[in-house]
Amino acid sequence: MESVLLDAPQGITARLGWDPKLTVHDRRRMLARELVADQRGVDEKTVLVEREAPNQFGHHTHLIAMEGTEELPILISTASFRTATVVAISDPSIPVGLDIRDMHPDDATLHEMTRHSHLLEGSDTNALLAHWTKVQAVREADGRGVRVKADYVRLDPARHRGWVPDRRVYYEIADMSRDAWIITIAYGAFPH
């Protein structure tokens, strides 16, 4: 798999990887293992990345990293689109949300984005994509993901901060786009 280090905000490390022959689960684990090994200065073979055990029925598990039998205090965040995956690692106290899209969405994706976007009708595709990836990243950072309707998410006028009105938490938003991929990260919690 080919992968590249992304220009992530301070305290967060991220990589983009793509390989049509690998499953999304394999890409996520490989990228996370590479990031954790680099951060800790150890051989990738000593790092195990697996899914945490579910706490209850319907609980969506997260990836955890282990070195030997020790679970590492690292938050692993992921997002995938078609054959590409982006993985970020950070301190567990920093909420992180990611979104990745290609620059050429199909008609169904455009229709969904238009239906739930706060942008005025007639906005160009690039503006719509940039808005949509920021909204999705905020939804993921919030932790409730798709349980929060996309049109509930708010962005400041410069689109550098986002929030969901029912919580007193704001997320910084940064662009980590690379090549033909639009990659957005929402991170950090700040009281209002």
Side-chain angles (χ1 to χ4, degrees):
M1 172 177 62
E2 291 188 46
S3 74
V4 294
L5 190 63
L6 298 173
D7 187 20
Q10 185 174 355
I12 301 170
T13 309
R15 288 191 86 79
L16 166 67
W18 58 94
D19 189 333
K21 292 179 236 124
L22 293 175
T23 68
V24 64
H25 302 294
D26 288 341
R27 287 193 310 266
R28 288 176 178 169
R29 285 184 174 91
M30 290 172 73
L31 289 167
R33 190 171 39 251
E34 188 176 347
L35 285 168
V36 171
D38 284 349
Q39 182 187 61
R40 298 187 58 83
V42 298
D43 189 305
E44 278 185 50
K45 294 175 188 169
T46 66
V47 176
L48 174 66
V49 174
E50 59 185 30
R51 290 203 129 338
E52 71 180 351
N55 292 333
Q56 60 192 15
F57 177 74
H59 175 72
H60 294 283
T61 57
H62 299 280
L63 291 179
I64 58 170
M66 300 180 72
E67 192 173 357
T69 59
E70 174 191 0
E71 184 176 330
L72 302 174
I74 295 171
L75 174 67
I76 301 172
S77 305
T78 68
S80 296
F81 189 78
R82 296 189 181 135
T83 63
T85 297
V86 62
V87 174
I89 62 170
S90 64
D91 183 281
S93 66
I94 303 172
V96 172
L98 296 167
D99 190 66
I100 181 172
R101 307 284 164 169
D102 68 20
M103 290 185 178
H104 307 287
D106 58 23
D107 289 338
T109 304
L110 279 173
H111 176 72
E112 180 186 4
M113 288 187 300
T114 304
R115 214 174 83 214
H116 297 289
S117 174
H118 293 293
L119 293 182
L120 298 173
E121 259 189 64
S123 295
D124 69 25
T125 301
N126 292 336
L128 186 60
L129 276 169
H131 181 264
W132 185 252
T133 61
K134 289 173 182 176
V135 166
Q136 297 306 311
V138 169
R139 287 170 75 188
E140 291 302 316
D142 174 75
R144 294 177 287 177
V146 296
R147 293 176 299 188
V148 172
K149 288 185 176 182
D151 48 355
Y152 288 174
V153 174
R154 299 292 181 255
L155 302 176
D156 70 354
R159 297 192 183 134
H160 294 299
R161 290 180 107 195
W163 66 96
V164 180
D166 69 340
R167 293 200 172 163
R168 293 173 30 130
V169 178
Y170 287 77
Y171 305 97
E172 297 295 324
I173 300 171
D175 179 43
M176 300 189 305
S177 297
R178 177 74 184 234
D179 302 325
W181 301 104
I182 298 172
I183 304 166
T184 305
I185 185 169
Y187 62 96
F190 304 95
H192 181 58

